[in-house]
Amino acid sequence: GYTGTRYNMLRYAPLFWPRGCDLLMYDARGHGASDGRYHTFGYYEKGDAEAAVDWLEAQTGLPQSHIGMLGISYGAGTALQTAPLLPDLAFIIADSPYADLETIMRYQAVQQYGQAVNMMIPGAWVAAEAMADFDVAAVSAVTAVAQAQMPIMLIHSQADEYTPPSNSEAIYANSDHGRTVLYLTDWGSSHGADITNNYAGFAQYVDEFLQTYAPDFGRH
């Protein structure tokens, strides 16, 4: 998640411990112990995620087809944007992702500063692109998911007011429904809090997803 670290991901670890999985958690650039001045919401981070998977393959001997990726919020958006780069992944689980950078930033700007901020957004994009050397329009989970080859699980709280569930709905709408599932939870959770608010329910969804789309995962 944005401003989060690898330690925030420990709450997801029990989902995979019983499967005997090797787990790799790392700080995104500009987060925790990682360097990097700017956050690009997946533009460069997807390459970092690809490098992390390559490293895990080298360390464990596991092929890409035996590796899954899970991210929450910022990490979920990054994971989905990584999909075209890692077509042989066993799966991606995206918890509370954003559809694209422009959608979430515009939403957050209005929430925090009101409608008048819309007049300043085009200039902010230009400044951000110049400083961080990236393309705002290219940061899109909606676009990336259309190129995904692996099974994808999307989960989003209907009560999420920070990143509305419409983001996951837009991603799902552009995905291959034959290998993508969307869970919209009614547990009253805030942004990214489904796993702590209802661990049993979250774990059940993950189990169902893996049983259907990656039944041999963790058994090799």
Side-chain angles (χ1 to χ4, degrees), residues 105-124:
M105 286 302 189
R106 190 176 293 275
Y107 172 80
Q108 282 295 329
V110 170
Q111 289 294 108
Q112 295 181 42
Y113 304 109
Q115 291 292 337
V117 77
N118 279 310
M119 299 175 60
M120 303 173 62
I121 287 177

Side-chain angles (χ1 to χ4, degrees), residues 58-111:
Q59 294 297 313
T60 64
L62 289 168
Q64 193 179 117
S65 60
H66 292 179
I67 297 174
M69 186 177 292
L70 184 152
I72 176 174
S73 189
Y74 190 100
T78 296
L80 292 168
Q81 291 173 74
T82 306
L85 304 178
L86 299 169
D88 295 327
L89 281 181
F91 62 85
I92 289 176
I93 297 176
D95 182 354
S96 314
Y98 45 85
D100 55 64
L101 181 54
E102 184 169 358
T103 295
I104 190 58
M105 286 302 189
R106 190 176 293 275
Y107 172 80
Q108 282 295 329
V110 170
Q111 289 294 108

Side-chain angles (χ1 to χ4, degrees), residues 6-213:
R6 59 195 183 278
Y7 299 112
N8 297 116
M9 297 306 295
L10 288 172
R11 54 187 159 164
Y12 294 90
L15 297 170
F16 302 100
W17 279 335
R19 294 180 165 86
C21 296
D22 294 291
L23 301 178
L24 170 62
M25 304 173 192
Y26 67 94
D27 295 337
R29 60 173 60 202
H31 293 71
S34 292
D35 58 13
R37 182 177 179 183
Y38 297 112
H39 307 135
T40 61
F41 292 80
Y43 186 84
Y44 290 117
E45 289 82 355
K46 64 180 181 288
D48 299 336
E50 181 184 21
V53 169
D54 289 342
W55 183 88
L56 185 62
E57 286 186 80
Q59 294 297 313
T60 64
L62 289 168
Q64 193 179 117
S65 60
H66 292 179
I67 297 174
M69 186 177 292
L70 184 152
I72 176 174
S73 189
Y74 190 100
T78 296
L80 292 168
Q81 291 173 74
T82 306
L85 304 178
L86 299 169
D88 295 327
L89 281 181
F91 62 85
I92 289 176
I93 297 176
D95 182 354
S96 314
Y98 45 85
D100 55 64
L101 181 54
E102 184 169 358
T103 295
I104 190 58
M105 286 302 189
R106 190 176 293 275
Y107 172 80
Q108 282 295 329
V110 170
Q111 289 294 108
Q112 295 181 42
Y113 304 109
Q115 291 292 337
V117 77
N118 279 310
M119 299 175 60
M120 303 173 62
I121 287 177
W125 291 148
V126 172
E129 289 177 330
M131 287 189 295
D133 189 26
F134 80 117
D135 180 4
V136 168
V139 180
S140 175
V142 170
T143 300
V145 76
Q147 304 172 53
Q149 300 298 310
M150 72 290 291
I152 294 175
M153 171 181 156
L154 304 166
I155 184 165
H156 215 124
S157 171
Q158 296 183 64
D160 189 344
E161 296 181 354
Y162 186 80
T163 301
S166 57
N167 284 265
S168 281
E169 291 176 315
I171 294 167
Y172 178 73
N174 211 38
S175 71
D176 180 345
H177 294 180
R179 55 172 168 259
T180 307
V181 296
L182 169 62
Y183 296 107
L184 295 176
T185 64
D186 59 359
W187 306 331
S189 308
S190 57
H191 179 62
D194 271 338
I195 194 165
T196 51
N197 190 30
N198 186 353
Y199 178 83
F202 195 103
Q204 181 179 345
Y205 282 149
V206 170
D207 287 341
E208 290 175 355
F209 169 72
L210 293 179
Q211 182 60 42
T212 301
Y213 295 97

